[in-house]
């Protein structure tokens, strides 16, 4: 689906926005492929008991309160 800022989100597993993947899972998880233009933002809330792994391939990103992270694998835990 398209984000309001012109980004693109592919829902590979789980759900995001109003899109639900047709893939059935043994363990609940969400797998998204998100591409954003410069300056755009994307918000995806996780249940409190979930964890997240993010791979930034280019550019930078901010996850929750904190500093931008550049081109590195990040482990982000839902606060």
């Amino acid at each position: 689906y398209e984000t309001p800022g012109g980004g693109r989100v592919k829902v590979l597993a789980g759900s995001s926005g109003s899109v639900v993947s047709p893939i059935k899972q043994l363990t609940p998880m969400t797998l998204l492929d998100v591409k954003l233009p410069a300056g755009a933002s994307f918000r995806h809330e996780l249940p409190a008991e979930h964890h997240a792994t993010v791979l930034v391939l280019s550019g930078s990103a901010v996850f929750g309160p904190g500093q931008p992270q550049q081109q590195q694998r990040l482990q982000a835990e839902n606060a």
Side-chain angles (χ1 to χ4, degrees), residues 46 50-54 63 74-78:
L46 294 173
H50 285 205
H51 299 273
T53 299
V54 178
F63 303 96
L74 304 172
Q75 294 286 334
E77 205 172 296
N78 195 20

Side-chain angles (χ1 to χ4, degrees), residues 3-18:
T3 67
R8 184 184 54 78
V9 179
K10 287 184 186 177
V11 180
L12 305 173
S15 64
S16 179
S18 63

Side-chain angles (χ1 to χ4, degrees), residues 1-21 30-37 41-45:
Y1 67 89
E2 296 281 327
T3 67
R8 184 184 54 78
V9 179
K10 287 184 186 177
V11 180
L12 305 173
S15 64
S16 179
S18 63
V19 178
V20 178
S21 170
T30 302
L31 180 59
L32 306 175
D33 178 4
V34 180
K35 294 184 180 175
L36 299 172
S41 64
F42 171 72
R43 182 178 179 96
H44 180 80
E45 297 204 20

